[in-house]
């Protein structure tokens, strides 16, 4: 019985079933290779779409861009998103094999629970993965009129800020000139007294 299916198809086709042995195939296509990602995905389609099996991967969005067959994946845990939430702002290099994904998932789930991040992961970040993928794939619609209005607003703000900076600079130069004149006058006065 399969409980966990860890996979990473980004560089090479690597997967692990129930956190045990790692299976790996070279993903590079050559004239003589018979390895085709879509063929493999067709073979594991039942696993990917089975809600009872927890799928663990790193960077689901990158996998979505490899093949739309990943769109129907059910019950998936994305280590990259969980890592981002738990270790926000830290440089993190992820170099685990798929056999290590289960332990990493358990550790990240515990940390998310401890920090109260489960809702953000499940209700915001994971659904957002599919939305961002769709936007990257299809683009998104922007009304040019709205864009022109925003550009005009920021152009005016930039002009206002530039003007204010000039005024402050002129005021600073004026004070410096007054200070220099006062200093020169003091020196003249001191010479005249001697």
């Amino acid at each position: 019985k399969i409980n966990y299916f860890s996979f990473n198809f980004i560089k090479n086709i690597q997967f692990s079933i129930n956190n045990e042995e790692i299976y790996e195939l070279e993903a590079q296509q050559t004239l003589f290779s018979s390895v085709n990602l879509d063929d493999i995905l067709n073979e594991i389609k039942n696993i990917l779409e089975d809600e009872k099996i927890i799928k663990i991967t790193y960077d689901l969005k990158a996998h979505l861009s490899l093949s739309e067959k990943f769109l129907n994946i059910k019950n998936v845990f994305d280590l990259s998103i969980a890592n981002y939430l738990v270790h926000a702002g830290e440089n993190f290099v992820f170099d685990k094999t798929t056999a290590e994904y289960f332990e990493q998932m358990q550790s990240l789930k515990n940390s998310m629970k401890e920090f109260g991040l489960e809702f953000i992961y499940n209700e915001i970040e994971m659904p957002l993965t599919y939305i961002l993928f769709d936007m990257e794939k299809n683009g998104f619609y922007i009304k040019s009129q709205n864009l022109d209005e925003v550009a005009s607003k920021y152009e005016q703000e930039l002009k206002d800020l530039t003007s204010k900076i000039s005024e402050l600079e002129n005021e600073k130069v004026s004070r410096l000139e007054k200070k220099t004149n006062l200093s020169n006058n003091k020196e003249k006065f001191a010479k005249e007294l001697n």
Side-chain angles (χ1 to χ4, degrees), residues 10-166:
I10 302 299
K11 291 181 182 173
N12 290 327
I13 297 169
Q14 185 184 87
F15 58 93
S16 176
I17 297 173
N18 290 336
N19 198 32
E20 294 171 1
E21 189 173 344
I22 298 172
Y23 301 93
E24 187 166 10
L25 303 166
E26 292 293 321
Q28 297 178 356
Q29 292 286 92
T30 67
L31 182 62
F32 303 106
S33 75
S34 59
V35 176
N36 181 309
L37 181 60
D38 281 338
D39 291 341
I40 292 170
L41 291 175
N42 284 332
E43 292 295 321
I44 63 171
K45 181 179 191 254
N46 292 338
I47 294 171
L48 293 175
E49 295 179 1
D50 188 334
E51 289 190 37
K52 294 176 187 163
I53 300 171
I54 297 172
K55 275 67 70 183
I56 310 165
T57 192
Y58 189 85
D59 198 356
L60 177 61
K61 190 162 65 75
H63 284 85
L64 292 173
S65 61
L66 286 177
S67 174
E68 290 194 15
K69 293 187 180 186
F70 282 111
L71 284 173
N72 297 322
I73 193 169
K74 305 282 189 264
N75 196 8
V76 63
F77 187 87
D78 189 334
L79 295 167
S80 67
I81 292 174
N83 236 334
Y84 165 77
L85 289 173
V86 171
H87 303 287
E90 297 176 22
N91 280 343
F92 188 82
V93 176
F94 191 83
D95 58 356
K96 308 285 185 205
T97 64
T98 55
E100 298 170 288
Y101 281 15
F102 177 77
E103 289 85 15
Q104 188 71 28
M105 177 187 74
Q106 292 302 102
S107 172
L108 288 166
K109 278 187 169 188
N110 290 338
S111 295
M112 286 193 303
K113 186 174 186 170
E114 178 185 339
F115 299 133
L117 298 169
E118 293 167 306
F119 177 82
I120 293 172
Y121 175 84
N122 291 315
E123 303 300 323
I124 297 172
E125 293 293 342
M126 284 305 291
L128 191 58
T129 298
Y130 294 94
I131 294 168
L132 292 174
F133 167 72
D134 190 51
M135 288 173 66
E136 287 176 8
K137 181 180 168 223
N138 299 317
F140 53 95
Y141 179 73
I142 296 176
K143 289 184 180 178
S144 60
Q145 178 186 355
N146 292 358
L147 203 53
D148 291 340
E149 288 172 9
V150 169
S152 176
K153 175 186 169 193
Y154 286 120
E155 283 175 15
Q156 186 58 47
E157 280 187 33
L158 182 60
K159 285 179 186 174
D160 293 345
L161 287 172
T162 303
S163 175
K164 187 157 186 116
I165 290 170
S166 283

Side-chain angles (χ1 to χ4, degrees), residues 169-186:
E169 279 297 314
N170 289 337
E171 189 178 304
K172 187 176 179 181
V173 167
S174 177
R175 276 195 235 140
L176 189 58
E177 286 173 350
K178 285 179 183 176
K179 189 176 181 180
T180 304
N181 287 339
L182 184 60
S183 179
N184 289 341
N185 288 340
K186 280 183 184 179

